[in-house]
Amino acid sequence: MFFISGIYCLTVYSMSLGHSLLFTVLLYGNFSSIYFLIGPLLYFYLRSLRTGSTNLTKKDYWHFIPFFLVFIDTIPYYLAPYSYKVEVVRQVFSDWTSMFNIRLGYVFNAAHLYVLRPLLLTMYTLWGFNYLRNNQVYFFKATHLGKWLKLFLFFQWMVFVGMSSVFFGVWLENSLGLTFLNHPSEIKYLSLVAYMIMVCTLYFFPEIIYLNADRFKRTLNPQEAYWWKMDQAVNDCYIFKKPFLNPNLTLDQFGELVQKDRKELRDFFDLYLFTSFTNEMNRLRVQFAKQLIRQGCLQKSCLSTLYVESGFNCEADLEHLFYDFEGMSIKEFIDKIKI
Protein backbone atom coordinates (compact mmCIF):
# COMPACT_ATOMS: atom_id res chain seq x y z
CA MET A 1 0.00 0.00 0.00
CA PHE A 2 2.77 2.45 0.93
CA PHE A 3 4.80 1.41 -2.12
CA ILE A 4 1.90 2.11 -4.49
CA SER A 5 1.27 5.48 -2.85
CA GLY A 6 4.94 6.30 -3.36
CA ILE A 7 4.78 5.36 -7.05
CA TYR A 8 1.75 7.60 -7.47
CA CYS A 9 3.42 10.59 -5.84
CA LEU A 10 6.61 10.03 -7.83
CA THR A 11 4.55 9.98 -11.04
CA VAL A 12 2.81 13.25 -10.23
CA TYR A 13 6.05 14.87 -9.09
CA SER A 14 7.94 13.92 -12.24
CA MET A 15 5.02 15.00 -14.42
CA SER A 16 3.97 18.27 -12.80
CA LEU A 17 6.96 19.53 -10.80
CA GLY A 18 10.08 17.79 -12.06
CA HIS A 19 9.03 17.62 -15.74
CA SER A 20 11.20 14.55 -16.16
CA LEU A 21 10.43 13.03 -19.55
CA LEU A 22 12.15 9.71 -18.78
CA PHE A 23 10.46 9.08 -15.45
CA THR A 24 7.08 10.28 -16.66
CA VAL A 25 7.17 7.99 -19.69
CA LEU A 26 8.03 5.05 -17.44
CA LEU A 27 5.42 5.85 -14.80
CA TYR A 28 2.49 7.59 -16.48
CA GLY A 29 -0.19 5.16 -17.65
CA ASN A 30 1.84 2.05 -16.92
CA PHE A 31 0.66 1.97 -13.31
CA SER A 32 -2.89 3.22 -13.81
CA SER A 33 -4.49 -0.03 -12.68
CA ILE A 34 -2.47 -0.63 -9.51
CA TYR A 35 -3.69 2.64 -8.02
CA PHE A 36 -7.09 0.95 -7.73
CA LEU A 37 -5.52 -1.43 -5.20
CA ILE A 38 -5.00 1.33 -2.63
CA GLY A 39 -8.59 1.13 -1.37
CA PRO A 40 -8.71 -2.68 -1.01
CA LEU A 41 -5.26 -2.78 0.59
CA LEU A 42 -6.36 -0.09 3.02
CA TYR A 43 -9.39 -2.22 3.88
CA PHE A 44 -7.31 -5.37 4.46
CA TYR A 45 -4.68 -3.41 6.41
CA LEU A 46 -7.10 -1.92 8.94
CA ARG A 47 -8.97 -5.18 9.30
CA SER A 48 -5.77 -7.13 9.94
CA LEU A 49 -4.78 -4.71 12.72
CA ARG A 50 -8.02 -5.55 14.51
CA THR A 51 -8.33 -9.26 13.75
CA GLY A 52 -4.66 -10.26 13.65
CA SER A 53 -5.20 -12.19 10.41
CA THR A 54 -4.14 -11.32 6.86
CA ASN A 55 -5.99 -14.26 5.29
CA LEU A 56 -8.45 -13.50 2.49
CA THR A 57 -11.84 -15.10 2.04
CA LYS A 58 -13.77 -15.60 -1.17
CA LYS A 59 -15.82 -12.47 -0.48
CA ASP A 60 -12.64 -10.39 -0.25
CA TYR A 61 -11.82 -10.92 -3.92
CA TRP A 62 -14.72 -8.67 -4.93
CA HIS A 63 -12.54 -5.76 -3.84
CA PHE A 64 -10.15 -6.48 -6.72
CA ILE A 65 -12.78 -6.07 -9.45
CA PRO A 66 -11.97 -2.36 -10.20
CA PHE A 67 -8.27 -3.22 -10.48
CA PHE A 68 -8.87 -6.11 -12.90
CA LEU A 69 -11.29 -4.09 -15.04
CA VAL A 70 -8.85 -1.21 -15.46
CA PHE A 71 -5.88 -3.55 -15.91
CA ILE A 72 -7.58 -5.49 -18.72
CA ASP A 73 -8.82 -2.31 -20.36
CA THR A 74 -5.40 -0.60 -20.34
CA ILE A 75 -3.44 -3.55 -21.71
CA PRO A 76 -3.20 -1.78 -25.14
CA TYR A 77 -1.33 1.11 -23.52
CA TYR A 78 1.00 -1.23 -21.64
CA LEU A 79 1.91 -2.90 -24.94
CA ALA A 80 2.15 0.34 -26.91
CA PRO A 81 5.58 1.22 -28.34
CA TYR A 82 7.89 3.51 -26.38
CA SER A 83 7.69 6.22 -29.04
CA TYR A 84 3.92 6.45 -28.61
CA LYS A 85 4.27 6.89 -24.84
CA VAL A 86 6.86 9.61 -25.36
CA GLU A 87 4.45 11.43 -27.65
CA VAL A 88 1.67 11.12 -25.05
CA VAL A 89 3.87 12.60 -22.32
CA ARG A 90 5.05 15.46 -24.55
CA GLN A 91 1.43 16.23 -25.29
CA VAL A 92 0.61 16.30 -21.55
CA PHE A 93 3.59 18.54 -20.81
CA SER A 94 2.49 21.04 -23.46
CA ASP A 95 -1.20 21.08 -22.52
CA TRP A 96 -2.60 19.44 -19.39
CA THR A 97 -6.14 19.49 -20.71
CA SER A 98 -5.07 17.08 -23.46
CA MET A 99 -4.80 14.44 -20.74
CA PHE A 100 -8.57 14.14 -20.72
CA ASN A 101 -8.60 13.17 -24.37
CA ILE A 102 -5.92 10.50 -24.10
CA ARG A 103 -7.37 7.01 -24.25
CA LEU A 104 -5.48 4.53 -22.12
CA GLY A 105 -7.73 1.62 -23.10
CA TYR A 106 -10.87 0.52 -24.88
CA VAL A 107 -13.23 2.09 -22.33
CA PHE A 108 -11.34 4.38 -19.97
CA ASN A 109 -9.45 7.55 -20.74
CA ALA A 110 -7.35 9.54 -18.30
CA ALA A 111 -10.33 11.67 -17.27
CA HIS A 112 -12.29 8.60 -16.15
CA LEU A 113 -9.42 7.36 -14.03
CA TYR A 114 -8.80 10.72 -12.37
CA VAL A 115 -12.45 10.76 -11.29
CA LEU A 116 -12.91 7.08 -10.41
CA ARG A 117 -9.74 6.75 -8.31
CA PRO A 118 -10.59 9.45 -5.72
CA LEU A 119 -14.22 8.32 -5.59
CA LEU A 120 -13.20 4.75 -4.81
CA LEU A 121 -10.65 5.81 -2.22
CA THR A 122 -13.17 8.18 -0.61
CA MET A 123 -15.54 5.24 -0.10
CA TYR A 124 -12.81 3.16 1.55
CA THR A 125 -11.69 6.12 3.66
CA LEU A 126 -15.21 6.68 4.99
CA TRP A 127 -15.40 2.96 5.75
CA GLY A 128 -12.07 3.25 7.59
CA PHE A 129 -13.27 6.06 9.84
CA ASN A 130 -16.43 4.12 10.61
CA TYR A 131 -14.38 0.97 11.34
CA LEU A 132 -12.20 2.88 13.80
CA ARG A 133 -15.29 4.29 15.48
CA ASN A 134 -16.95 0.88 15.78
CA ASN A 135 -13.77 -0.62 17.26
CA GLN A 136 -12.66 2.35 19.32
CA VAL A 137 -12.09 0.20 22.40
CA TYR A 138 -9.25 -1.58 20.62
CA PHE A 139 -7.82 1.23 18.51
CA PHE A 140 -8.05 4.05 21.07
CA LYS A 141 -7.99 2.40 24.50
CA ALA A 142 -6.13 -0.87 24.11
CA THR A 143 -3.47 0.01 21.52
CA HIS A 144 -3.62 3.83 21.18
CA LEU A 145 -3.19 3.62 17.38
CA GLY A 146 -6.53 5.22 16.58
CA LYS A 147 -5.34 8.83 16.49
CA TRP A 148 -2.49 8.03 14.14
CA LEU A 149 -4.74 5.94 11.92
CA LYS A 150 -7.27 8.78 11.65
CA LEU A 151 -4.51 11.13 10.51
CA PHE A 152 -3.18 8.47 8.14
CA LEU A 153 -6.60 7.98 6.54
CA PHE A 154 -6.95 11.72 6.06
CA PHE A 155 -3.49 12.18 4.52
CA GLN A 156 -3.88 9.10 2.32
CA TRP A 157 -7.16 10.49 1.01
CA MET A 158 -5.64 13.95 0.57
CA VAL A 159 -2.76 12.60 -1.54
CA PHE A 160 -5.01 10.99 -4.14
CA VAL A 161 -7.97 13.34 -4.08
CA GLY A 162 -5.70 16.37 -3.99
CA MET A 163 -3.67 15.27 -6.98
CA SER A 164 -6.76 14.35 -8.97
CA SER A 165 -8.40 17.69 -8.20
CA VAL A 166 -5.48 19.45 -9.93
CA PHE A 167 -6.39 17.96 -13.29
CA PHE A 168 -10.10 18.15 -12.57
CA GLY A 169 -9.74 21.87 -11.77
CA VAL A 170 -7.96 22.53 -15.07
CA TRP A 171 -10.69 20.70 -16.94
CA LEU A 172 -13.48 22.61 -15.15
CA GLU A 173 -11.93 25.98 -16.05
CA ASN A 174 -11.33 25.08 -19.69
CA SER A 175 -14.69 23.36 -20.20
CA LEU A 176 -17.10 25.27 -17.98
CA GLY A 177 -15.18 28.38 -16.95
CA LEU A 178 -15.20 27.40 -13.26
CA THR A 179 -11.97 28.41 -11.53
CA PHE A 180 -12.59 27.47 -7.86
CA LEU A 181 -10.56 24.23 -8.16
CA ASN A 182 -7.91 25.48 -10.53
CA HIS A 183 -5.08 26.11 -8.07
CA PRO A 184 -2.64 23.46 -9.26
CA SER A 185 0.52 24.69 -7.54
CA GLU A 186 -1.03 24.99 -4.09
CA ILE A 187 -2.89 21.67 -4.30
CA LYS A 188 0.15 19.81 -5.65
CA TYR A 189 2.37 21.00 -2.85
CA LEU A 190 -0.29 20.29 -0.21
CA SER A 191 -0.69 16.75 -1.53
CA LEU A 192 3.04 16.10 -1.61
CA VAL A 193 3.44 17.50 1.91
CA ALA A 194 0.60 15.22 3.02
CA TYR A 195 2.46 12.24 1.60
CA MET A 196 5.71 13.27 3.30
CA ILE A 197 3.91 13.63 6.67
CA MET A 198 2.22 10.27 6.17
CA VAL A 199 5.55 8.55 5.52
CA CYS A 200 7.52 10.36 8.23
CA THR A 201 5.02 9.54 10.96
CA LEU A 202 5.65 5.84 10.30
CA TYR A 203 8.93 6.21 12.16
CA PHE A 204 7.02 7.11 15.31
CA PHE A 205 4.72 4.08 14.99
CA PRO A 206 6.83 1.31 13.42
CA GLU A 207 4.62 -1.39 14.93
CA ILE A 208 1.77 -0.52 12.57
CA ILE A 209 3.79 -1.80 9.61
CA TYR A 210 5.60 -4.72 11.20
CA LEU A 211 2.77 -5.60 13.55
CA ASN A 212 2.40 -9.20 14.57
CA ALA A 213 -1.07 -8.67 15.92
CA ASP A 214 -1.18 -11.71 18.20
CA ARG A 215 2.16 -10.88 19.76
CA PHE A 216 1.29 -7.19 19.99
CA LYS A 217 -1.96 -7.93 21.81
CA ARG A 218 -0.08 -10.04 24.33
CA THR A 219 2.35 -7.23 25.15
CA LEU A 220 -0.47 -4.97 26.31
CA ASN A 221 0.15 -3.88 29.88
CA PRO A 222 -2.19 -5.99 32.04
CA GLN A 223 -2.10 -3.31 34.74
CA GLU A 224 -3.45 -0.65 32.41
CA ALA A 225 -6.35 0.96 34.26
CA TYR A 226 -8.90 0.26 31.56
CA TRP A 227 -8.31 -3.50 31.50
CA TRP A 228 -7.51 -3.86 35.17
CA LYS A 229 -10.77 -2.30 36.33
CA MET A 230 -12.83 -4.40 33.97
CA ASP A 231 -10.99 -7.54 35.05
CA GLN A 232 -11.77 -6.77 38.68
CA ALA A 233 -15.46 -6.17 37.95
CA VAL A 234 -15.77 -9.40 35.95
CA ASN A 235 -13.99 -11.50 38.59
CA ASP A 236 -16.19 -10.09 41.36
CA CYS A 237 -19.23 -11.06 39.34
CA TYR A 238 -17.88 -14.60 38.89
CA ILE A 239 -17.30 -15.02 42.63
CA PHE A 240 -20.45 -13.51 44.07
CA LYS A 241 -23.10 -14.01 41.36
CA LYS A 242 -21.82 -17.05 39.43
CA PRO A 243 -23.61 -16.03 36.20
CA PHE A 244 -22.00 -18.92 34.29
CA LEU A 245 -24.39 -21.33 36.06
CA ASN A 246 -27.09 -20.02 33.73
CA PRO A 247 -26.74 -22.26 30.64
CA ASN A 248 -28.49 -19.69 28.43
CA LEU A 249 -26.50 -16.65 29.58
CA THR A 250 -25.94 -14.07 26.83
CA LEU A 251 -23.29 -11.39 26.52
CA ASP A 252 -25.95 -8.68 26.91
CA GLN A 253 -27.20 -10.25 30.15
CA PHE A 254 -23.65 -10.53 31.44
CA GLY A 255 -23.07 -6.88 30.53
CA GLU A 256 -26.01 -5.83 32.66
CA LEU A 257 -24.54 -7.72 35.63
CA VAL A 258 -21.12 -6.07 35.40
CA GLN A 259 -22.43 -2.73 34.07
CA LYS A 260 -20.29 -2.86 30.94
CA ASP A 261 -21.08 -2.21 27.30
CA ARG A 262 -21.38 -5.20 24.96
CA LYS A 263 -18.64 -3.83 22.70
CA GLU A 264 -16.24 -3.35 25.61
CA LEU A 265 -16.91 -6.87 26.90
CA ARG A 266 -16.36 -8.37 23.47
CA ASP A 267 -12.96 -6.68 23.23
CA PHE A 268 -12.14 -7.65 26.82
CA PHE A 269 -12.59 -11.36 26.11
CA ASP A 270 -10.97 -11.14 22.68
CA LEU A 271 -7.97 -8.88 23.38
CA TYR A 272 -7.30 -9.38 27.08
CA LEU A 273 -8.27 -12.99 27.71
CA PHE A 274 -7.69 -14.16 24.09
CA THR A 275 -10.89 -16.17 24.07
CA SER A 276 -14.59 -15.74 23.37
CA PHE A 277 -17.38 -15.11 25.85
CA THR A 278 -18.85 -18.56 25.21
CA ASN A 279 -15.53 -20.35 25.70
CA GLU A 280 -14.85 -18.45 28.91
CA MET A 281 -18.25 -19.33 30.37
CA ASN A 282 -17.78 -23.00 29.46
CA ARG A 283 -14.34 -22.99 31.05
CA LEU A 284 -15.81 -21.62 34.27
CA ARG A 285 -18.56 -24.24 34.20
CA VAL A 286 -16.00 -27.02 33.85
CA GLN A 287 -13.97 -25.58 36.73
CA PHE A 288 -17.12 -25.44 38.87
CA ALA A 289 -17.92 -29.05 37.98
CA LYS A 290 -14.41 -30.07 39.08
CA GLN A 291 -14.94 -28.21 42.35
CA LEU A 292 -18.21 -30.05 42.99
CA ILE A 293 -16.53 -33.40 42.32
CA ARG A 294 -13.71 -32.59 44.72
CA GLN A 295 -16.25 -31.62 47.36
CA GLY A 296 -17.72 -35.10 47.28
CA CYS A 297 -19.96 -35.41 44.24
CA LEU A 298 -18.69 -38.90 43.45
CA GLN A 299 -21.85 -40.95 43.71
CA LYS A 300 -23.79 -41.93 40.61
CA SER A 301 -26.90 -40.06 41.76
CA CYS A 302 -24.91 -36.87 42.22
CA LEU A 303 -23.04 -37.23 38.93
CA SER A 304 -26.29 -37.66 37.03
CA THR A 305 -27.28 -34.10 37.93
CA LEU A 306 -23.77 -32.63 37.76
CA TYR A 307 -24.42 -30.96 34.41
CA VAL A 308 -27.38 -29.06 35.87
CA GLU A 309 -25.46 -27.99 38.97
CA SER A 310 -22.53 -26.72 36.86
CA GLY A 311 -24.64 -24.77 34.33
CA PHE A 312 -24.82 -27.02 31.25
CA ASN A 313 -27.90 -27.71 29.16
CA CYS A 314 -27.27 -31.46 28.93
CA GLU A 315 -24.93 -34.15 30.14
CA ALA A 316 -23.37 -34.57 26.70
CA ASP A 317 -22.21 -30.93 26.72
CA LEU A 318 -20.56 -31.44 30.08
CA GLU A 319 -18.76 -34.60 28.96
CA HIS A 320 -17.58 -33.06 25.70
CA LEU A 321 -16.37 -29.74 27.12
CA PHE A 322 -14.83 -31.36 30.20
CA TYR A 323 -12.64 -33.46 27.93
CA ASP A 324 -11.81 -30.45 25.72
CA PHE A 325 -10.63 -28.30 28.64
CA GLU A 326 -9.06 -30.97 30.86
CA GLY A 327 -7.85 -33.52 28.34
CA MET A 328 -9.56 -36.35 30.23
CA SER A 329 -13.06 -37.66 30.84
CA ILE A 330 -14.98 -37.12 34.08
CA LYS A 331 -14.46 -40.78 35.00
CA GLU A 332 -10.71 -40.45 34.47
CA PHE A 333 -10.69 -37.28 36.57
CA ILE A 334 -12.52 -39.08 39.43
CA ASP A 335 -10.10 -42.01 39.23
CA LYS A 336 -7.20 -39.56 39.44
CA ILE A 337 -8.67 -37.96 42.57
CA LYS A 338 -9.19 -41.33 44.27
CA ILE A 339 -5.57 -42.23 43.69
Side-chain angles (χ1 to χ4, degrees), residues 55-237:
N55 295 329
L56 301 183
T57 64
K58 291 182 179 179
K59 293 181 180 179
D60 291 331
Y61 291 102
W62 289 98
H63 293 274
F64 295 104
I65 289 179
F67 161 73
F68 282 116
L69 289 178
V70 176
F71 176 79
I72 293 171
D73 186 68
T74 50
I75 286 178
Y77 186 84
Y78 301 149
L79 302 179
Y82 180 78
S83 57
Y84 171 75
K85 295 179 181 179
V86 170
E87 184 61 30
V88 167
V89 172
R90 290 187 186 278
Q91 188 177 353
V92 172
F93 280 169
S94 62
D95 181 11
W96 277 21
T97 59
S98 66
M99 183 181 299
F100 297 94
N101 299 319
I102 297 172
R103 301 200 67 84
L104 297 178
Y106 296 107
V107 177
F108 301 110
N109 60 26
H112 295 139
L113 300 185
Y114 277 106
V115 171
L116 292 175
R117 275 200 299 261
L119 284 177
L120 185 66
L121 186 61
T122 299
M123 290 168 48
Y124 278 103
T125 301
L126 292 176
W127 171 87
F129 281 115
N130 187 58
Y131 188 71
L132 293 179
R133 182 178 62 83
N134 290 336
N135 296 278
Q136 56 184 324
V137 173
Y138 174 67
F139 286 111
F140 292 91
K141 294 184 179 179
T143 61
H144 303 292
L145 289 175
K147 293 181 179 179
W148 183 90
L149 288 170
K150 286 176 66 177
L151 289 174
F152 165 73
L153 286 172
F154 172 75
F155 287 130
Q156 179 77 25
W157 175 83
M158 189 174 178
V159 166
F160 279 82
V161 175
M163 294 296 188
S164 296
S165 66
V166 171
F167 307 103
F168 191 57
V170 173
W171 177 79
L172 281 177
E173 182 173 4
N174 284 273
S175 302
L176 304 175
L178 302 176
T179 61
F180 69 97
L181 274 181
N182 191 8
H183 301 283
S185 297
E186 294 86 347
I187 295 176
K188 282 185 295 187
Y189 283 114
L190 282 174
S191 299
L192 289 173
V193 168
Y195 176 73
M196 292 171 63
I197 294 174
M198 184 180 69
V199 172
C200 289
T201 51
L202 296 178
Y203 292 98
F204 297 99
F205 298 92
E207 67 269 19
I208 66 170
I209 297 182
Y210 307 106
L211 178 61
N212 179 321
D214 290 333
R215 183 182 65 189
F216 180 65
K217 290 176 185 177
R218 295 177 187 275
T219 60
L220 297 177
N221 183 3
Q223 299 304 316
E224 187 176 353
Y226 170 77
W227 295 118
W228 186 83
K229 289 180 180 179
M230 184 175 291
D231 194 34
Q232 293 299 304
V234 168
N235 284 326
D236 289 343
C237 183

